[in-house]
Amino acid sequence: MKKGKQHITKQLLITVLLLLAVNFLGNFIFKRFDLTQDKRYTLSEATLNLVKNVDEPVYIDVLLEGNFPGEFKRLQTETRQLLEEFKAYNPNIEFHFENPLAEEETRQQDMRMLYSRGLTPISVTVDDKGKQSQEVVFPWAIVSYGEKTTKVQLLKNMMGASTAEKVVSSVQHLEYAFADAINKVTKEKEKKIAVIKGNGELHELLMADFLKQVRENYFIAPFTLDSVANNPMNTLKSLKDYDLAIIAKPTLEFSEEEKEVLDQYIVNGGKTLWMIDAVQAEMDSLYNESGSTLAFPHKLNLNDMFFKYGFRINPTLVKDERATPVSLAVGQMGSETQYQQYLWRFAPFVYAESDNPIVKNMDGIKFEFANNIDTLKNNISKTVLLQSSPYSKAIGTPTPISLDMVNEQTKPEDYEGQGYLTLSVLLEGQFHSMYENRVLPFKDPSYKPVGVDNKMIVIADGDVIKNQLDQSYQPLELGYDKWTNQLYDNKLFLMNCVNYLLDDTGLINIRSKEVQLPMLDKEKVYEQYTTVQFITVGLPIIILLVFGLLFTFLRKRKYSR
């Protein structure tokens, strides 16, 4: 008996010592295991570096509490598990889930407040065994660090997709969304962006929403090339202070001196985002008595420069059967004008098929009077980011365009062998100066014929950055069409372009992460509701009862001897 007690005491002591040793080692060794097949909870190296370097509390308010359908509960669960991973690596990441509409008395007031902060709600249908009800959900999170805050959209906008499809795409985007938000609020602005002016570029009011979004991460300022005429060297020196130059829809020719400034900026490592219209064509010019206009080539004097870099923007218009709608007046009913939506084939609705992180998992992007790009053979690596559909073709200019074209009858044979036109391309490598082995427009003692490793993105449409204005001439969200009440992914695409060109942390590469989320078949669940309920709820209870009874029986038989 005494030996038995000593043996038990010894085992207890060994167990306590092992637990103490494990806890002691746990202070020095930290390891988490991700047993999922797609490694969805394994954070990327860029995210880990960002999270581990947070030295003060970051507060994350997730507005995902309430009565949700199953798909939203899945989004809620995945969001919670991701944030728990963040917190496991750094306790300074604090988060909590809340229902912003929990108080019925202030519900309407709270909704207006959230909407004014840019947190747009969605209406979801909650279905419980055939009983349906409508719930308003704000699928957003607010990330705060000191006095800085930013918002995170948890549910991606995907036109025509089911809620389940939206949730799967959104879960793939979660790590990047939260990592980017934490990076915004914890890091000080460093990179500088120049918005090039002086050649009839788009007015700031017409790209105000994009500029507002960019200012959250970067310093941004207009940069005019007018001073090139008087002091090109000083202009070039000033431009070199910027990390990225954005050229948005120029309409006036570039002089040779201006081109040399831009060329040497690129050769010396300056990133560029080109949004070019090679054809003069505007929707506003169609709204006249005849409802028609003439589309003709733009003369920007940039062709030789682009050719040297390895691409050419053709003076053609892309006509695509996969297009966005236009709303046209069709008559009067009383004092009200009646409108109808028609397919406008000169406004391609572009879906990305590339695996590049700039466009991966992205919804459709709206183009308007886009041109097609040819890539040329040289030492530069080229990645096609966006293409038109297989049922598209290039229309040469000059050519008349009329609103009556919405009534055109087309067939697949009209586009045979003409589709998949390149609309946007990423170029990476060492760019050669367009003035290599040529006479320079102005003397530059620091002139370089071959550049350092660099990258640029070219988009063959200047309107891709253009936001509409409301009745008070205030800018609407980029990508939102007030005439058809549709929201396209233009803003996300352009922000990804900027982040890719300027990203030193590697966060943009997180967008390539693939997550597999198996979803329940609702129809089968409803058909076999009782069986499913028994398997998911009743069976585990029965297994526990059997195990408990068996354990009790074996214990009694052992110690009753």
Side-chain angles (χ1 to χ4, degrees):
M1 189 75 175
K2 187 176 181 181
K3 286 184 178 180
K5 288 184 177 179
Q6 288 178 343
H7 179 70
I8 293 172
T9 304
K10 185 178 179 180
Q11 283 187 326
L12 181 62
L13 184 60
I14 291 172
T15 303
V16 171
L17 289 173
L18 283 173
L19 289 173
L20 289 173
V22 168
N23 277 278
F24 179 76
L25 290 173
N27 292 324
F28 302 95
I29 302 173
F30 177 78
K31 183 66 177 176
R32 292 173 68 82
F33 298 94
D34 186 353
L35 302 180
T36 57
Q37 185 177 4
D38 52 13
K39 301 297 180 184
R40 78 184 65 158
Y41 304 121
T42 300
L43 301 180
S44 67
E45 186 176 348
T47 303
L48 281 174
N49 291 335
L50 177 66
V51 169
K52 288 178 178 178
N53 288 326
V54 173
D55 52 7
E56 292 184 20
V58 171
Y59 299 100
I60 304 175
D61 299 317
V62 185
L63 311 182
L64 271 183
E65 280 289 349
N67 185 23
F68 300 145
E71 296 90 344
F72 271 88
K73 289 180 181 177
R74 191 66 179 271
L75 179 62
Q76 181 190 55
T77 300
E78 294 293 334
T79 303
R80 188 186 302 277
Q81 289 175 337
L82 176 69
L83 295 178
E84 285 174 352
E85 283 295 309
F86 282 16
K87 188 174 178 63
Y89 286 99
N90 191 336
N92 279 323
I93 306 295
E94 299 284 350
F95 68 91
H96 79 280
F97 285 66
E98 64 177 276
N99 181 358
L101 306 178
E103 300 295 332
E104 286 293 334
E105 300 81 8
T106 60
R107 182 183 177 90
Q108 294 300 321
Q109 181 181 344
D110 293 337
M111 287 180 65
R112 285 193 295 270
M113 183 270 293
L114 292 168
Y115 197 85
S116 67
R117 296 178 64 179
L119 308 179
T120 52
I122 63 170
S123 180
V124 298
T125 302
V126 180
D127 197 333
D128 183 15
K129 293 183 6 179
K131 297 180 180 178
Q132 294 186 342
S133 61
Q134 293 293 319
E135 292 287 339
V136 176
V137 180
F138 284 86
W140 294 86
I142 301 171
V143 180
S144 305
Y145 179 81
E147 296 181 355
K148 297 168 69 175
T149 62
T150 189
K151 57 189 180 183
V152 177
Q153 186 174 5
L154 301 178
L155 186 70
K156 289 184 62 180
N157 170 63
M158 296 175 65
M159 284 185 291
S162 66
T163 304
E165 291 170 333
K166 291 180 182 179
V167 167
V168 172
S169 181
S170 299
V171 169
Q172 292 179 333
H173 183 68
L174 278 179
E175 183 182 339
Y176 173 73
F178 278 107
D180 183 54
I182 292 173
N183 186 59
K184 283 180 183 178
V185 296
T186 59
K187 302 294 183 183
E188 294 297 328
K189 294 181 184 178
E190 295 178 356
K191 301 295 180 68
K192 297 169 66 178
I193 298 175
V195 180
I196 301 300
K197 297 291 182 183
N199 293 85
E201 286 82 4
L202 207 61
H203 192 280
E204 286 188 3
L205 187 63
L206 297 177
M207 50 181 179
D209 188 59
F210 170 76
L211 299 179
K212 176 184 175 183
Q213 186 72 30
V214 168
R215 284 193 182 96
E216 290 189 12
N217 292 64
Y218 309 103
F219 295 106
I220 186 168
F223 188 95
T224 180
L225 293 178
D226 292 347
S227 57
V228 169
N230 299 321
N231 195 336
M233 282 301 301
N234 188 56
T235 304
L236 176 57
K237 182 181 178 182
S238 299
L239 185 58
K240 286 180 180 178
D241 290 336
Y242 291 87
D243 302 284
L244 169 67
I246 295 176
I247 305 95
K249 197 176 180 178
T251 55
L252 302 177
E253 285 191 42
F254 286 77
S255 68
E256 292 299 321
E257 290 79 10
E258 290 172 337
K259 287 161 62 178
E260 184 181 345
V261 167
L262 291 173
D263 175 81
Q264 284 302 290
Y265 170 75
I266 292 168
V267 168
N268 282 276
K271 312 297 188 298
T272 45
L273 175 58
W274 299 87
M275 286 165 277
I276 302 296
D277 274 353
V279 174
Q280 171 63 44
E282 302 288 341
M283 284 301 297
D284 290 345
S285 62
L286 290 169
Y287 297 129
N288 52 44
E289 290 185 5
S290 65
S292 62
T293 188
L294 180 68
F296 55 89
H298 256 320
K299 292 183 179 180
L300 298 176
N301 192 29
L302 292 173
N303 291 342
D304 54 349
M305 188 176 184
F306 292 162
F307 191 89
K308 185 70 174 182
Y309 297 156
F311 68 94
R312 175 175 54 230
I313 301 179
N314 296 308
T316 58
L317 291 178
V318 175
K319 188 177 183 181
D320 199 334
E321 287 296 317
R322 188 175 65 190
T324 58
V326 61
S327 187
L328 300 177
V330 293
Q332 294 282 132
M333 182 174 287
S335 59
E336 294 290 330
T337 303
Q338 299 300 303
Y339 292 90
Q340 186 173 333
Q341 291 186 10
Y342 296 91
L343 199 67
W344 182 240
R345 297 179 179 89
F346 289 107
F349 190 24
V350 182
Y351 282 95
E353 297 181 5
S354 170
D355 286 333
N356 188 282
I358 297 174
V359 293
K360 191 173 178 66
N361 299 324
M362 187 172 292
D363 197 21
I365 300 160
K366 180 182 179 181
F367 280 69
E368 191 171 281
F369 295 119
N371 322 125
N372 69 299
I373 302 172
D374 288 336
T375 55
L376 312 170
K377 288 186 178 180
N378 63 0
N379 63 317
I380 298 297
S381 170
K382 303 170 188 71
T383 303
V384 174
L385 298 177
L386 298 172
Q387 288 180 311
S388 63
S389 80
Y391 300 107
S392 62
K393 61 183 177 181
I395 305 297
T397 57
T399 185
I401 298 175
S402 169
L403 290 176
D404 291 336
M405 289 180 170
V406 297
N407 297 314
E408 281 184 345
Q409 298 298 314
T410 59
K411 52 187 181 296
E413 291 77 14
D414 296 338
Y415 302 96
E416 189 172 351
Q418 301 186 69
Y420 297 114
L421 301 170
T422 299
L423 303 178
S424 178
V425 64
L426 164 69
L427 298 97
E428 298 175 287
Q430 293 181 322
F431 293 95
H432 285 243
S433 168
M434 69 161 291
Y435 294 102
E436 188 178 23
N437 302 320
R438 289 175 55 183
V439 177
L440 297 177
F442 65 86
K443 291 183 178 180
D444 179 5
S446 61
Y447 170 80
K448 291 182 180 179
V450 182
V452 298
D453 282 336
N454 199 357
K455 46 193 174 183
M456 69 169 63
I457 293 175
V458 181
I459 306 169
D461 179 19
D463 292 312
V464 74
I465 194 175
K466 184 177 178 181
N467 57 249
Q468 296 180 355
L469 305 177
D470 64 14
Q471 293 180 343
S472 303
Y473 294 95
Q474 295 301 307
L476 297 170
E477 183 176 2
L478 174 59
Y480 177 69
D481 184 358
K482 64 182 179 181
W483 306 112
T484 60
N485 199 32
Q486 300 283 358
L487 180 62
Y488 304 98
D489 241 356
N490 293 45
K491 181 158 67 171
L492 179 60
F493 168 57
L494 291 177
M495 287 306 303
N496 286 347
C497 288
V498 171
N499 291 338
Y500 184 88
L501 292 172
L502 295 178
D503 186 26
D504 289 333
T505 62
L507 288 181
I508 189 68
N509 292 316
I510 303 171
R511 286 181 47 80
S512 298
K513 187 173 184 177
E514 288 282 359
V515 175
Q516 302 296 327
L517 286 182
M519 305 299 288
L520 287 175
D521 188 328
K522 286 186 176 181
E523 296 301 322
K524 286 186 177 180
V525 171
Y526 290 149
E527 289 175 5
Q528 306 171 16
Y529 191 85
T530 305
T531 305
V532 171
Q533 196 173 43
F534 171 75
I535 292 172
T536 56
V537 179
L539 190 58
I541 295 174
I542 291 173
I543 292 172
L544 284 174
L545 285 172
V546 171
F547 177 79
L549 291 171
L550 183 61
F551 179 79
T552 304
F553 171 75
L554 293 174
R555 185 177 176 84
K556 281 184 177 180
R557 196 172 77 168
K558 179 179 179 180
Y559 291 104
S560 62
R561 294 176 181 176

